[in-house]
Amino acid sequence: MRLTTRDKLIIDVLQKQDFCFYNDIKRNFFSSHSSACNRLSKLKKHGYILIEPLNFKKNPNRFSTGLIGRNLKIISLSNKYSLVKASPWKKTHQLFLFSLKERLENLLKTEAIFENQIKNLKNTLYHGNNDPLPDFYLKKDSFNLAVELELHLKSRNRYFLKMAKYRRSRFTHVLYVSIHIKKIQKLIKTFRYRNYIAISHYPNIEEVISHKYGKLPLLEWLEKETNDYRKRK
């Protein structure tokens, strides 16, 4: 089988993400459902990718399938080409992260940079070992937004240590996105006095909660906090 340019782009995405929703690959790389099915089936048949049903029953993290809409299948590189064998927790995290990245890119009109890319460019982009590594970040002239996807709440000490790093970093804003609506209030309490941090619920990332401004649109919060960041520096 001869790989096309599109095949190589799909494989490149899977090398960076490890796991992707089938529907995301179909929407981003193909013009129709039939062409996607035919080409992805060939890639699977020749051992390049794996296509498997999305099944959270085997995953200890009990997420509602309503959060992921109609995504019923996931795609990953086959064992022959895969660089990382991920745990079920990492698989779940990356699936949600991939969709969150795409939604924020569309909303903010800029490309996201992932954690592995941050590590590779750390010597040229950052000024020391104390800089935090978010799941990914999005940068424009008016903001440098770090994004943290929270599947489970961490201890308050871990949050405090990371918040101190963010305070000294080049990030102007930090957005924590929670999968579970019930954990939003705990995050709000933890970040009560951190004005540069906002919290959002995964299904509704267009709206955030900020201690300083309350509930407001994400774009409005980014604009308001930019001025405060300049004053802090």
Side-chain angles (χ1 to χ4, degrees):
M1 177 184 176
R2 185 174 181 178
L3 293 178
T4 65
T5 300
R6 180 168 55 188
D7 295 335
K8 293 176 182 178
L9 289 173
I10 293 172
I11 290 173
D12 182 59
V13 168
L14 292 171
Q15 285 178 334
K16 293 176 181 178
Q17 298 296 131
D18 294 335
F19 301 94
C20 295
F21 286 122
Y22 185 97
N23 284 346
D24 285 335
I25 294 294
K26 180 182 72 175
R27 182 173 64 254
N28 289 325
F29 292 98
F30 296 92
S31 58
S32 67
H33 177 74
S34 59
S35 61
C37 289
N38 291 335
R39 195 60 191 174
L40 292 175
S41 296
K42 286 183 179 180
L43 289 173
K44 178 182 177 181
K45 179 180 178 181
H46 287 82
Y48 287 97
I49 63 173
L50 299 175
I51 302 175
E52 55 186 323
L54 183 61
N55 185 2
F56 285 111
K57 292 181 180 179
K58 297 180 180 180
N59 196 319
N61 308 311
R62 298 179 181 179
F63 298 108
S64 168
T65 54
L67 291 174
I68 52 178
R70 298 181 179 180
N71 289 293
L72 301 179
K73 293 185 289 186
I74 58 176
I75 299 177
S76 60
L77 289 178
S78 69
N79 293 334
K80 182 178 179 180
Y81 297 95
S82 179
L83 301 178
V84 179
K85 291 186 177 181
S87 64
W89 178 89
K90 184 178 180 183
K91 179 188 293 187
T92 303
H93 186 269
Q94 289 196 346
L95 287 172
F96 281 107
L97 198 63
F98 186 78
S99 283
L100 177 62
K101 161 193 171 288
E102 183 174 304
R103 290 164 63 195
L104 285 173
E105 284 181 331
N106 291 335
L107 182 63
L108 302 179
K109 310 300 181 186
T110 186
E111 185 177 354
I113 300 177
F114 270 89
E115 182 182 80
N116 61 337
Q117 295 172 282
I118 298 173
K119 289 177 180 176
N120 292 339
L121 299 175
K122 189 174 180 66
N123 292 332
T124 56
L125 293 181
Y126 293 90
H127 52 78
N129 294 327
N130 290 326
D131 289 295
L133 288 172
D135 288 318
F136 62 84
Y137 74 89
L138 302 101
K139 185 176 181 181
K140 293 185 81 171
D141 293 339
S142 57
F143 63 81
N144 193 355
L145 173 66
V147 179
E148 298 275 4
L149 176 65
E150 296 297 280
L151 299 188
H152 301 286
L153 293 184
K154 303 177 180 64
S155 68
R156 294 191 71 182
N157 286 339
R158 288 186 64 182
Y159 282 127
F160 290 158
L161 288 173
K162 197 154 193 177
M163 282 188 286
K165 290 183 178 182
Y166 274 126
R167 179 87 182 173
R168 300 188 298 268
S169 74
R170 297 184 182 182
F171 294 108
T172 59
H173 308 72
V174 184
L175 177 64
Y176 274 85
V177 180
S178 175
I179 296 295
H180 298 287
I181 188 66
K182 293 181 179 179
K183 295 178 180 178
I184 294 289
Q185 290 300 324
K186 292 183 179 179
L187 283 174
I188 293 172
K189 186 176 181 180
T190 299
F191 300 135
R192 182 174 297 170
Y193 302 108
R194 307 290 176 168
N195 293 331
Y196 55 95
I197 294 177
I199 301 159
S200 182
H201 188 213
Y202 174 81
N204 186 26
I205 57 169
E206 294 83 5
E207 188 175 71
V208 302
I209 300 172
S210 165
H211 169 71
K212 185 173 183 179
Y213 304 107
K215 186 178 291 187
L216 73 170
L218 171 63
L219 294 174
E220 185 178 342
W221 170 69
L222 288 172
E223 183 179 351
K224 287 179 178 293
E225 271 302 305
T226 298
N227 294 330
D228 287 348
Y229 170 80
R230 290 169 180 165
K231 291 178 183 178
R232 291 201 309 270
K233 296 301 178 182

